[in-house]
């Protein structure tokens, strides 16, 4: 078994990135096999429960009030709409339902409404994840009491590049929220975005931050920037796909037990690139035709891709009765 370390130096991580591609993905795949079923991919479905008009200035984001992206502002969704979406996600094979809100942080009143949503999602037998911005320790504790399984809060990029992307909150704020989530006993989902014009060193430094947390996040989303018109990062030079795969591989080596999620940006990736990512250690995706405000890989395309690669959806940890993969793959296999 690969050793679980929390003391990676930047030099060591850069040396992994510098390996010949075949050596790197072979090593990552070995680590992957030691710790995971190599043909199982966990599927989460996203829902934006509160869209737009966010006070933060994240340069990549369609939802910041500071960018003119033409996005309609929406209020917090009614409970019934959320439950309906969660039911549909479950029927489509998702094991986890992730709800995102365009907030800097939740107010206590809004948190109560999200807690009701979490209880309903859990009652459907789904794992629940939310991403609501910064949290206090007390808010994290209340979410845990409601049965929340995962909290998503990304570091987004390296501490060095961070100021080029966000100025309205500090890197330290993000680390503090992750600490509050961890202390409350909620599983941590934390990763970042590639393709924002960062350097290779920044990508190594982001992974160093994640891998050297006191405990590795259980879930590590690696997003490829979805370029949204009207955001400052629209028009950024595209990242070399091979460099993206390398980053997945290094994440897998540094955090052997974590789920590495191939997150935003799959719509733009070829099937071959995604196949390489799965080989290099990605074992989780967002499933369903929408992310938060932008499109995701189409369900039919995913079904065909999983069938071509012989991948299956991994099941929820809590509810072994529910065969999530059955409904997702049945048609895919039949189509072969
Ligand atoms: N507002 C909350 C926050 O930022 O903490 C939660 C929702 S926010 C949309 C969740 C994450 O989605 C961001 O941290 C970022 O990593 C990712 N994200 C947002 N827009 C993106 C884009 N255009 N491309 C790739 N990832 C994106
Ligand atoms: C994460 O790392 N990626 C997801 C989820 N966590 C919340 C969000 C991706 C958003 C992509 C752009 C959009 O749809 O607005
Ligand atoms: Fe707001 Fe989150 Fe978008 Fe930043 S990433 S602008 S905090 S919704």
């Amino acid at each position: 078994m690969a050793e679980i370390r929390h003391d990676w130096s930047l030099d060591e991580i850069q040396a992994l990135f510098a390996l010949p591609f075949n050596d790197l993905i072979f090593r990552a795949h070995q680590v992957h096999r030691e710790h995971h079923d190599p043909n199982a991919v966990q599927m989460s479905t996203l829902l934006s429960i509160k869209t737009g008009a966010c006070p933060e200035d994240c340069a990549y984001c369609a939802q910041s009030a500071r960018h003119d992206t033409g996005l309609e502002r929406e209020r917090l969704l009614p409970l019934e709409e959320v439950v309906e979406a969660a039911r549909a996600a479950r029927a489509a094979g998702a094991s986890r339902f992730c709800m995102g809100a365009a907030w800097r942080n939740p107010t206590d009143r809004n948190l109560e409404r999200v807690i009701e949503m979490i209880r309903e999602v859990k009652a459907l037998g789904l794992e629940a994840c939310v991403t609501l911005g910064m949290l206090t320790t007390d808010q994290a504790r209340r979410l845990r009491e409601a049965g929340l399984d995962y909290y998503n809060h990304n570091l987004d990029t390296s501490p060095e590049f961070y100021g080029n992307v966000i100025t309205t909150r500090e890197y330290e704020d993000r680390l503090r929220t992750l600490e509050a989530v961890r202390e409350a006993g909620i599983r941590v989902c934390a990763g970042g975005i590639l393709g924002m014009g960062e350097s290779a060193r920044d990508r190594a430094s982001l992974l160093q931050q994640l891998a050297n947390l006191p405990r590795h996040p259980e879930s590590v989303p690696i997003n490829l920037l979805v370029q949204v018109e009207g955001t400052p990062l629209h028009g950024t030079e595209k990242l070399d796909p091979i460099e993206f795969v390398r980053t997945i591989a290094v994440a897998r080596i540094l955090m052997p037990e974590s789920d590495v999620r191939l997150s935003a940006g799959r719509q733009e990736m070829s099937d071959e690139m995604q196949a390489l990512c799965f080989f290099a250690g990605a074992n989780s995706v967002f499933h369903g035709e929408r992310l938060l405000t932008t499109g995701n890989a189409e369900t039919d395309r995913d079904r065909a891709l999983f069938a071509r690669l012989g991948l299956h959806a991994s099941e929820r940890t809590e509810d072994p009765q529910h065969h999530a993969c059955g409904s997702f793959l049945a048609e895919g296999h039949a189509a072969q």
Side-chain angles (χ1 to χ4, degrees):
M1 285 280 179
E3 193 192 345
I4 308 295
R5 292 179 46 192
H6 302 269
D7 60 353
W8 289 93
S9 72
L10 194 61
D11 283 349
E12 281 178 297
I13 299 173
Q14 286 181 302
L16 288 173
F17 270 99
L19 285 171
F21 185 71
N22 286 341
D23 292 344
L24 174 61
I25 60 169
F26 180 68
R27 184 163 158 193
H29 189 71
Q30 274 179 321
V31 173
H32 190 46
R33 265 179 192 267
E34 282 173 13
H35 293 270
H36 304 270
D37 172 348
N39 302 309
V41 175
Q42 187 274 331
M43 300 200 302
S44 296
T45 293
L46 278 168
L47 177 70
S48 180
I49 56 169
K50 190 269 165 187
T51 305
C54 183
E56 304 288 288
D57 69 352
C58 312
Y60 49 78
C61 189
Q63 306 200 67
S64 167
R66 317 214 181 185
H67 320 317
D68 187 7
T69 61
L71 195 70
E72 287 286 326
R73 163 190 198 150
E74 283 173 26
R75 301 175 70 85
L76 188 57
L77 289 186
L79 185 61
E80 309 76 65
E81 262 181 60
V82 175
V83 175
E84 204 175 300
R87 245 193 225 111
R90 185 182 63 173
S95 60
R96 191 176 309 154
F97 193 64
C98 305
M99 297 171 273
W103 291 323
R104 174 177 167 82
N105 55 267
T107 60
D108 285 344
R109 201 163 144 255
N110 280 334
L111 195 75
E112 278 315 310
R113 293 192 49 198
V114 174
I115 281 173
E116 282 177 44
M117 295 172 186
I118 293 168
R119 291 195 201 282
E120 295 286 337
V121 167
K122 295 289 294 175
L124 292 174
L126 286 161
E127 289 182 328
C129 172
V130 294
T131 177
L132 314 171
M134 292 189 281
L135 286 187
T136 64
T137 46
D138 183 57
Q139 289 179 321
R141 191 185 46 71
R142 284 162 60 199
L143 287 170
R144 178 63 204 133
E145 280 167 12
L148 184 68
D149 297 291
Y150 288 82
Y151 194 84
N152 167 244
H153 196 68
N154 290 337
L155 293 180
D156 278 354
T157 189
S158 68
E160 300 78 21
F161 192 68
Y162 185 81
N164 297 56
V165 183
I166 300 143
T167 68
T168 48
R169 72 168 92 139
E170 304 292 315
Y171 210 78
E172 265 307 309
D173 295 327
R174 290 182 184 259
L175 292 170
R176 257 195 300 277
T177 292
L178 292 182
E179 209 179 297
V181 170
R182 184 53 91 197
E183 267 176 25
I186 301 169
R187 279 172 268 183
V188 171
C189 173
I193 310 178
L194 312 184
M196 298 195 293
E198 75 285 346
S199 65
R201 186 183 191 282
D202 290 314
R203 288 186 283 276
S205 170
L206 164 66
L207 294 185
Q208 183 189 26
Q209 287 292 323
L210 294 167
N212 289 349
L213 288 170
R215 274 178 68 188
H216 293 165
E218 281 77 5
S219 163
V220 179
I222 305 292
N223 295 277
L224 177 63
L225 175 69
V226 177
Q227 297 204 8
V228 178
E229 240 181 280
T231 60
L233 292 186
H234 185 248
T236 306
E237 195 184 333
K238 297 269 169 75
L239 182 69
D240 172 10
I242 297 292
E243 183 64 12
F244 186 92
V245 179
R246 279 184 182 276
T247 311
I248 295 277
V250 176
R252 169 49 69 225
I253 294 168
L254 301 186
M255 294 169 278
E257 294 178 332
S258 305
D259 283 339
V260 175
R261 181 185 306 272
L262 187 53
S263 304
R266 282 202 304 125
Q267 212 175 17
E268 289 228 338
M269 294 178 196
S270 67
D271 284 1
E272 294 79 3
M273 177 178 169
Q274 293 189 58
L276 274 177
C277 289
F278 292 131
F279 186 80
N283 65 337
S284 157
V285 293
F286 286 121
H287 177 57
E289 307 212 338
R290 268 197 104 58
L291 293 167
L292 290 174
T293 67
T294 65
N296 191 21
E298 279 82 33
T299 311
D300 286 351
R301 180 181 166 205
D302 269 356
R303 192 176 282 125
L305 177 63
F306 272 47
R308 282 171 84 197
L309 300 178
L311 296 174
H312 59 268
S314 59
E315 293 182 19
R316 284 193 301 281
T317 38
E318 289 140 306
D319 182 10
Q321 302 303 317
H322 178 85
H323 295 282
C325 50
S327 57
F328 179 66
L329 270 191
E331 292 169 52
H333 277 310
Q336 274 192 323

